[in-house]
Amino acid sequence: MSKTTVAAPANIAFIKYWGARDLERALPMNSSISMTLDHCVTRCTVEILDGGHDEVWLSEPDGGFGSPEAEFTRRVVEQLDRVRQWAGREEPFRVATRNTFPSAAGLASSASGFAALTLAAAGALGRKDAPARELSQLSRRSGSGSAARSVLGGYVEWPDPGGIGKVGGIDDEPSYAIQLADASHWDLRDVIAVVEIGPKVVSSRDGHRLAHTSPYYTKRLELVPERLQKVRRAIETRDFDLLGPVLEEESTDLHMIAMTSQPPIFYWSPGTVAVLRAVRELRQEGLAAFATLDAGANVHVICDPDSEDEVAERLEDLPAVGFVIRDGVGDGPEHETTHLF
Ligand code: PMV
């Protein structure tokens, strides 16, 4: 049987999705904006089987493939069901997936993973050229909402379907991501300081679920619209001075909400603080670099290409940093002709 392989990138959120109106359908409380990465990708191969059940394989550190945990398999099979239902098909699949970066370390592996799975399964069913809107929507319905943004390259907005603060009665249809600008519009880099490897202790799903228990969450939702405008304008005019401070405000906000949720969630490690301090020092020395974190301890340092080498070298020198991943804005998912099995 023929195979379909898709490499889908992770993304780093400039304006964060944190908190959902409907967690099952991943309908967000606020619009978010991200930059799609280039090198941090999930590769997924899907093959249609003649009969039997779905088979799910996950790459192992030695390069081979093994059976993932039951929860992972369950989420994959549920997503395959959604893709089958959307395409009006019933065949079972064999699926294998591999990340180029540490899984489940707050580097958006679920976003790239579910985007790759959705696009590869759609491709296997002959729907490779379905509208991006449908593929984004379908990826979002995996439950990892940020996967909706990983189906597009460059700078991407996933608009809030209901208007800030409105809860309930939201139609599912309008919630998909759109491209604000392609990767060639603005060459930004993301130097990722990895201070912790291994799965995060609390999933982003739990973070979304608890966000509204923070006394500061309502305030956050009030602040987001102005930040969205700033980030849209910064992208449009390639204004790093406008973008940078908003990145840090958003990141601090997300973690403050997490730390003040009930029960509280602490994603930071001592290494996180060391990197944040180093980034501030780099700025004092005149380098254009700003830090942002998703739901994990590792720090994404967004900078312009001229600053990248210096930023990477300085972060590599920090004892708390295990290693640094150099990435940047990327073109989005690609269908590949080499398969994982
Ligand atoms: O898509 P999820 O449910 O894994 O949530 C993503 C949450 C953040 O990464 C922290 C923010 C974002 O917008 O990507």
Side-chain angles (χ1 to χ4, degrees), residues 13 16-18 110 143-146 149 204 208 254 294-295:
K16 313 290 186 185
Y17 155 43
W18 201 243
S110 60
S144 172
S146 54
R149 300 188 309 243
S204 45
H208 294 304
L254 182 156
D294 278 344

Side-chain angles (χ1 to χ4, degrees), residues 5 35 39 83 115 128 130-131 145 204 212 216 259 266 309 324-325:
T5 298
M35 176 172 95
H39 305 311
V83 179
K128 179 180 165 200
S204 45
H212 75 279
Y216 307 110
M259 289 175 197
F266 287 85
D309 285 345
V324 151
I325 300 172

Side-chain angles (χ1 to χ4, degrees), residues 43-255:
R43 215 162 248 116
C44 179
T45 297
V46 169
E47 181 181 29
I48 299 178
L49 298 175
D50 283 336
H53 299 286
D54 291 324
E55 280 177 33
V56 180
W57 300 97
L58 182 64
S59 73
E60 301 205 319
D62 66 4
F65 287 92
S67 298
E69 287 176 11
E71 171 65 8
F72 182 96
T73 304
R74 185 186 64 78
R75 288 193 66 190
V76 169
V77 171
E78 279 180 11
Q79 183 63 2
L80 293 174
D81 285 340
R82 290 184 194 100
V83 179
R84 279 187 284 254
Q85 195 186 17
W86 164 78
R89 299 278 289 270
E90 293 189 337
E91 299 95 317
F93 294 110
R94 176 175 294 132
V95 173
T97 160
R98 168 177 288 148
N99 289 339
T100 59
F101 58 100
S103 304
L107 298 182
S109 63
S110 60
S112 56
F114 279 110
L117 175 72
T118 305
L119 296 179
L125 295 174
R127 301 291 301 275
K128 179 180 165 200
D129 298 321
R133 174 171 46 83
E134 286 184 33
L135 296 169
S136 171
Q137 172 117 329
L138 201 50
S139 299
R140 185 204 92 230
R141 296 195 55 231
S142 65
S144 172
S146 54
R149 300 188 309 243
S150 269
V151 305
L152 296 162
Y155 300 88
V156 178
E157 177 161 354
W158 171 26
D160 157 33
I164 297 293
K166 188 172 158 205
V167 184
I170 303 298
D171 186 0
D172 195 30
E173 280 313 302
S175 191
Y176 52 85
I178 50 169
Q179 189 182 55
L180 295 175
D182 66 19
S184 67
H185 170 74
W186 196 10
D187 184 7
L188 283 184
R189 305 293 162 88
D190 180 4
V191 178
I192 308 167
V194 179
V195 295
E196 218 170 73
I197 192 157
K200 57 191 166 209
V201 195
V202 183
S203 67
S204 45
R205 190 183 169 79
D206 282 339
H208 294 304
R209 195 168 50 75
L210 295 174
H212 75 279
T213 65
S214 162
Y216 307 110
Y217 189 60
T218 316
K219 185 68 195 170
R220 160 168 175 70
L221 292 179
E222 276 170 38
L223 295 171
V224 165
E226 195 184 333
R227 291 187 190 149
L228 282 161
Q229 276 182 12
K230 281 187 185 169
V231 170
R232 285 188 205 112
R233 199 165 68 240
I235 291 170
E236 195 186 326
T237 57
R238 299 184 201 88
D239 185 342
F240 196 69
D241 293 337
L242 180 61
L243 179 70
V246 186
L247 293 184
E248 293 201 350
E249 280 167 29
E250 267 295 287
S251 175
T252 309
D253 245 38
L254 182 156
H255 288 270

